[in-house]
Amino acid sequence: MRALRILLILAVVLGGIFVAADRIAVNMAESEAADKIKSSQGLNSTPEVSIKGFPFLTQVLGKELDEIDVSISGITGSAGGHTVNVTEVKAELLDVRINSSFSSATASRADGSARISYADLSKAAPKGATVSYAGPERAANGQVKLTGPLDELLEGAGIEIPGALEGLVKGRTVSTYSKVSLHAGTTVRLKAETLPSLPLPGFDEKLRKLVDYDLKIDGLPSSIKLDKLEATKEGLRFSGIGKDVSLAG
């Protein structure tokens, strides 16, 4: 019985050492992967990388990982003079196969998503304007609400207000609903469906250039194409799927 107890204690100790070594190894791998993603994507912040499955070491020996989750924040997109912070980009990489030299890997499937909060969308909106939730019915149609002071919008669009119209414009707040759509799997397009009407030459064209813009979402592997859009109470959420996603070392 004493010998059996000794063997059991030894097994527990060795098991603990293996688990500790396994966790140290996975933490090192996650840190190395995060640094490579940061440098390859030119990110300002280090992403969070989580390698799923246990034990990690046996997965490495078999050159196949069950799942790797990547979360990136602080990505900035720019288009047409607008700068927008992409609140969060996520990628869930499944069935990741490592090559013989451990220099690259391929995920059989990758689920990608990106989220832009209304606060971040508002930072890119015209001066004084805010972007907000448009309500359940309009949100279901992929719309957001843009509200702002008309005089500041006109100023931002480079439209001079004749004296005869100052009383009509000054202090007036206008709202419009913009349709959000996805193009080429990486570009988000905001387009106002209606604009206020004023008897000014080129008014509609100049104001539309101000409130309509495209935003490119970076940070996802190139083979993941975003194809689904959802306008939630918290912001815009985009998602897509990629297959045989290459993860070069």
Side-chain angles (χ1 to χ4, degrees), residues 90-200:
K90 287 186 175 183
E92 184 180 274
L93 310 169
L94 305 174
D95 185 21
V96 181
R97 303 180 301 278
I98 306 169
N99 72 349
S100 57
S101 62
F102 291 90
S103 60
S104 65
T106 301
S108 296
R109 174 189 168 104
D111 296 337
S113 66
R115 182 171 61 88
I116 307 177
S117 68
Y118 291 122
D120 282 330
L121 281 172
S122 294
K123 291 176 184 177
K127 181 182 177 182
T130 58
V131 180
S132 61
Y133 182 58
E137 186 175 339
R138 289 185 178 275
N141 291 321
Q143 293 179 324
V144 297
K145 185 178 181 180
L146 189 145
T147 305
L150 182 56
D151 53 352
E152 292 189 22
L153 290 174
L154 294 178
E155 180 183 349
I159 300 174
E160 295 186 7
I161 306 170
L165 296 178
E166 282 187 1
L168 177 64
V169 171
K170 195 168 181 62
R172 179 181 171 187
T173 299
V174 295
S175 295
T176 184
Y177 294 96
S178 291
K179 177 74 173 180
V180 185
S181 56
L182 279 164
H183 295 265
T186 57
T187 300
V188 180
R189 179 166 297 165
L190 281 80
K191 183 177 179 62
E193 297 206 332
T194 59
L195 292 173
S197 178
L198 284 177
L200 293 172

Side-chain angles (χ1 to χ4, degrees), residues 57-81:
L57 292 173
T58 57
Q59 291 186 77
V60 173
L61 290 174
K63 295 182 180 178
E64 186 170 324
L65 302 176
D66 294 337
E67 179 181 336
I68 302 176
D69 293 346
V70 181
S71 178
I72 308 171
S73 59
I75 295 176
T76 300
S78 180

